[in-house]
Every structure is written in structure tokens, then in C-alpha cells.
Amino acid sequence: QVQLVESGGGLVQAGGSLSLSCAASRSTFGLPAIAWYRQAAGKQRELVARISIGGTTNYADSVKGRFTISRDSAKNTVYLQMNSLKPEDTAVYYCNMATPQGIPLSNSWGQGTQVTVSS
């Protein structure tokens, strides 16, 4: 079973950038899509971005044009580049394998990585 570990969060001012990493414990070759999710305090977890095996990407409307998801198969890592951050992007960010519809495939979630955007 593949383990996914998130990193790269931090505190940033509005308008700033952060890059998150999702490192897999083994090769991602053959794995289904990988997606980033986030959960803000008091809110449900929501899909942020998804990248398929073939590299097709999908984004939540709230992050389109600001966030970019990518994968480096050689490093078994999926990235989330976040630009023009807003206070409403503040949340714990998680990665997970996902269906084509962005539904998480594993019920086991990692620690996530905290992103805090100050106004």
C-alpha cells in the first residue's frame, strides 16, 4: 500500500506563494490520479486539484488560474504550486489517490500540511 506524505505548508501574506509536495513511498507508476484536498477550520474537506496518470488536470473554481498541480514521476512526487494566495486559502492541505471525479480512494489520511494566509 502506498503512503503519501504532505509537506511545504507555512505562513504567508496574502498575494504570496507556496509550493506543497506530496511524496509517495513507492513509484506512482500505475497509481490512479492523485489529488490535493483542503480542510479549513469548521468546514468539510474539499477537492482543490487533481492530476491523472496521463497528466490531465482539474481544479476547483476557487483556485483556477492561481494553483498548478504537477507530478514528477522520477521523484514519486506530486506538487501544488499556489500563487496569489488569499486568506480564504487557509486550511490543512492533504493529498490522496482519487477517482476521475475527484473522490478520495483511501480512507486513511496523512497529517496534512498547514497553510495559513494572513491578510
Side-chain angles (χ1 to χ4, degrees), residues 21-98:
S21 298
C22 171
S25 58
R26 64 167 179 83
S27 172
T28 57
F29 179 79
L31 289 181
I34 302 290
W36 282 97
Y37 302 84
R38 68 185 180 187
Q39 186 168 20
K43 295 187 177 181
Q44 288 191 331
R45 189 173 287 147
E46 63 176 355
L47 175 67
V48 175
R50 171 189 164 276
I51 186 166
S52 71
I53 297 174
T56 300
T57 57
N58 303 97
Y59 298 92
D61 288 343
S62 59
V63 306
K64 280 182 182 176
R66 300 188 298 121
F67 290 12
T68 302
I69 188 171
S70 61
R71 67 195 303 168
D72 185 335
S73 298
K75 295 183 178 180
N76 301 334
T77 301
V78 172
Y79 303 98
L80 185 68
Q81 177 64 41
M82 306 186 295
N83 299 326
S84 302
L85 283 161
K86 304 176 181 180
E88 50 263 44
D89 295 318
T90 295
V92 179
Y93 284 69
Y94 304 87
C95 58
N96 201 334
M97 294 177 290

